[in-house]
């Protein structure tokens, strides 16, 4: 077995201990004599795991029982329309804070359902190189919610403060940095995240929604049954068959997180990883150039350029020869991207920084 | 390792060879040095597997290149509304053939979008004990499509002929008997199936749609992006991150099916399994009573009753002691149910029949 250093942006690295446990239990999960994939979602064994994962999610997030934890499918892209479909009814309006490609996509879907105020940091060339400053937006108190995306995988930026929204509920797409650092759950009303970056594999999307906000949702009868949050909240995400295996890997990942110190420990580790890589960029005398403004830099997705596309291709190739994969930037942006989610250890990041240094010496 | 005989209705038994391969490759899939869960869905390794699964699906189903094979999420319940949302626009109508709980659910969602003719075999007490006879329905040629459910997991009935729909496209929910027998693909325009019965684990829904039918779908711009079949067809089900691991297990299950003789071989095996269990019922002198009319009996889900609920509970308990699990009927119907999908071998079914015989002798 020759495991690589995996900087994929998502699906991404999963803790080795999680994979080993899944491997060990593949033919006989929890003494059932079946794989977890073969167990009924109505069985007490499955439900115990499902409920335990919800409880652990609440514990790690510092959420009380007023939060419903839903396990849905369709990725964050499905939440882009489910949120306005459920909450932007009856002539209501919402406010969107647009700081990257994904929040722009969320706004596009919301406009189908109602009026949206939008504030953006999009540059004239379509790129995003920073998040919004507090002075650059104001929240209409008549907004039903404010939507933001805490971290931008494509452009490598991240919110390092939480916007003040007054009494307006805050909705956040945390797909790419959830549980990488503590956050004040009380400030939010709905948080969602595709699991395939910091929480496990693709195939499950976690939606945490506060009871008080759920009260504002459209009546269940007015929506297709599967598109109403109420359906899933009322049935503990077991209205129909959930994506059991993805939830199982999520549950193991949450246990791993908890065992390793929870969100505060992750924050320290992620800050250390960020320090290592951004130092390598900043100390390179322009050999590596990070386009994102310093106070908006992401600790999850580090994006940088070399001076030619050819050199970037060479970088990708030589990284691979060193066992470092997934470093090619998003197809729409080019460049280099290191995605360093929780499962990427400091040691791996240090090796990547060493490679950057060696590559620079060889080619500068 | 003590594997049980697994009669779960879904999620259900998966071929042991499939699980063993998944176990073996858990830490290093296909020489990538990563689990298949950690690989980018934009990588050539992932795309090759994804495309190969589509090709193998077409091959097994006898479908030509005019069929798009989509890998979606949200289960059959999501297809219940996506089909009318996409096809029942502009004042069109559809025809629903209702022979069980799931087709009834599909009709309920369709009525939100347009007019539906419906023909049903529902009994006054809400049960279904047979499918429709050809003389019991007629298809309005102005229907945009006819919807049917080929097998009813809850009540244990199955269509043993295909309805004549003339020029009206036939849409079929095959979730619980897909690939258990050959079927004339040409007769259909759209087929869908949650994978968790005959195709693998939960978390992925296969939708096969003919190009000519897709032409009738609502314009993409008029629907939330993720709810348009066109989005997924145009992007080879890679518009956003698909449920990679579920698709991987699906791909291994399709290979297992192909290696074991494809649909004709499965049909023979499933007929033999059905013969064994239905003989045990019919030879029991009324100790076991199958409510479904003989020509509507399902080869996938065998449903029967004992004379008291207490005896049924005892049956479930003693079956479990023999290593036979998942035999309790659906919570809405009670009774006993053996779900015998492709991964359940004749040998296991024979052991279950032996148990039925032993139990009958002990308690009759």
């Amino acid at each position: 077995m020759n495991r690589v250093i995996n900087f994929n942006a998502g699906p991404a690295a999963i803790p080795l201990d999680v994979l080993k446990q899944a491997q060990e239990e593949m033919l006989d999960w929890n003494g059932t004599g079946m794989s977890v994939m073969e167990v009924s979602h109505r069985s007490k064994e499955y439900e115990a795991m499902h409920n335990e994962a919800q409880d652990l999610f609440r514990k790690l997030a510092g959420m009380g029982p007023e939060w419903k934890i839903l396990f849905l499918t369709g990725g964050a892209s499905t939440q882009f329309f489910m949120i306005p479909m459920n909450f932007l009814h009856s002539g209501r309006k919402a406010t969107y804070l647009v700081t990257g490609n994904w929040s722009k996509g969320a706004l596009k879907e919301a406009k189908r359902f109602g009026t949206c105020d939008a504030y953006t940091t999009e540059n004239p060339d379509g790129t995003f190189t920073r998040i919004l400053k507090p002075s650059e937006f104001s929240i209409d108190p008549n907004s039903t919610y404010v939507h933001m995306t805490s971290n931008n995988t494509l452009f490598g930026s991240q919110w390092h403060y939480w916007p003040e929204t007054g009494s307006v509920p805050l909705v956040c797409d945390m797909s790419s940095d959830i549980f990488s650092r503590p956050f004040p759950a009380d400030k939010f009303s709905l948080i969602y995240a595709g699991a395939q970056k910091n929480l496990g594999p693709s195939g499950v999307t976690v939606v945490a929604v506060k009871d008080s906000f759920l009260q504002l949702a459209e009546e269940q009868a007015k929506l297709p049954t599967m598109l109403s949050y109420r359906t899933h909240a009322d049935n503990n995400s077991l209205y129909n068959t959930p994506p059991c295996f993805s939830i199982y890997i999520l549950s193991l990942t949450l246990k791993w997180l908890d065992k390793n110190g929870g969100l505060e420990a992750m924050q320290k580790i992620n800050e250390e990883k960020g320090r290592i890589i951004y130092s390598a960029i900043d100390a390179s005398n322009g050999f590596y150039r990070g386009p994102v403004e310093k106070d908006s830099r992401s600790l999850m997705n580090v994006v940088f350029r070399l001076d030619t596309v050819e050199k970037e291709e060479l970088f990708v190739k030589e990284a691979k020869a060193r066992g470092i994969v997934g470093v090619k930037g998003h197809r729409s942006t080019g460049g280099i991207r290191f995605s360093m989610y929780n499962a990427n250890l400091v040691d791996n990041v240090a090796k990547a920084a060493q490679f950057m240094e060696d590559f620079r010496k060889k080619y500068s």
Side-chain angles (χ1 to χ4, degrees), chain A residues 193-254:
Chain A
Q196 68 272 14
K197 294 161 197 293
N198 257 336
L199 296 180
S202 67
V204 61
T205 310
V206 182
V207 177
V209 56
K210 224 183 260 175
D211 284 333
S212 55
F213 188 55
L214 196 56
Q215 302 300 321
L216 303 178
E218 179 61 285
E219 289 170 46
Q220 191 184 23
K222 292 193 180 169
L223 299 174
T225 310
M226 284 292 290
L227 295 182
S228 165
Y229 287 120
R230 293 177 189 272
T231 299
H232 302 292
D234 292 349
N235 291 281
N236 191 28
S237 303
L238 290 165
Y239 172 77
N240 74 335
T241 316
C244 302
F245 189 82
S246 293
I247 293 170
Y248 159 71
I249 298 291
L250 164 72
S251 83
L252 296 182
T253 306
L254 294 177

Side-chain angles (χ1 to χ4, degrees), chain A residues 213-342:
Chain A
F213 188 55
L214 196 56
Q215 302 300 321
L216 303 178
E218 179 61 285
E219 289 170 46
Q220 191 184 23
K222 292 193 180 169
L223 299 174
T225 310
M226 284 292 290
L227 295 182
S228 165
Y229 287 120
R230 293 177 189 272
T231 299
H232 302 292
D234 292 349
N235 291 281
N236 191 28
S237 303
L238 290 165
Y239 172 77
N240 74 335
T241 316
C244 302
F245 189 82
S246 293
I247 293 170
Y248 159 71
I249 298 291
L250 164 72
S251 83
L252 296 182
T253 306
L254 294 177
K255 282 183 191 174
W256 174 86
L257 260 169
D258 193 37
K259 209 176 89 183
N260 284 278
L263 310 196
E264 288 181 19
M266 289 303 130
Q267 181 173 35
K268 285 202 186 95
I269 293 167
N270 288 322
E271 283 173 353
E272 173 63 8
K273 283 149 57 181
R275 195 193 57 70
I276 292 170
I277 294 295
Y278 284 114
S279 297
I281 293 171
D282 294 340
S284 74
N285 283 320
F287 185 83
Y288 300 115
R289 288 170 295 110
V292 174
E293 293 187 14
K294 285 195 180 178
D295 59 3
S296 296
R297 281 174 164 179
S298 169
L299 291 179
M300 297 286 100
N301 311 95
V302 179
V303 167
F304 55 94
R305 308 291 317 227
L306 281 75
D307 59 2
T308 65
V309 170
E310 291 68 32
K311 212 176 268 180
E312 288 168 349
E313 283 169 3
L314 194 63
F315 183 95
V316 171
K317 196 176 152 194
E318 295 204 3
K320 192 168 183 190
R322 286 255 204 133
I324 302 169
V325 307
V327 304
K328 199 174 165 182
H330 189 270
R331 62 216 151 102
S332 68
T333 57
I336 306 294
R337 175 171 58 174
F338 288 1
S339 295
M340 316 188 301
Y341 303 119
N342 288 341

Side-chain angles (χ1 to χ4, degrees), chain A residues 69-82:
Chain A
I69 312 300
L70 312 180
F71 297 142
L72 306 183
T73 60
S77 299
T78 291
Q79 298 309 306
F80 291 176
F81 77 82
M82 268 184 77

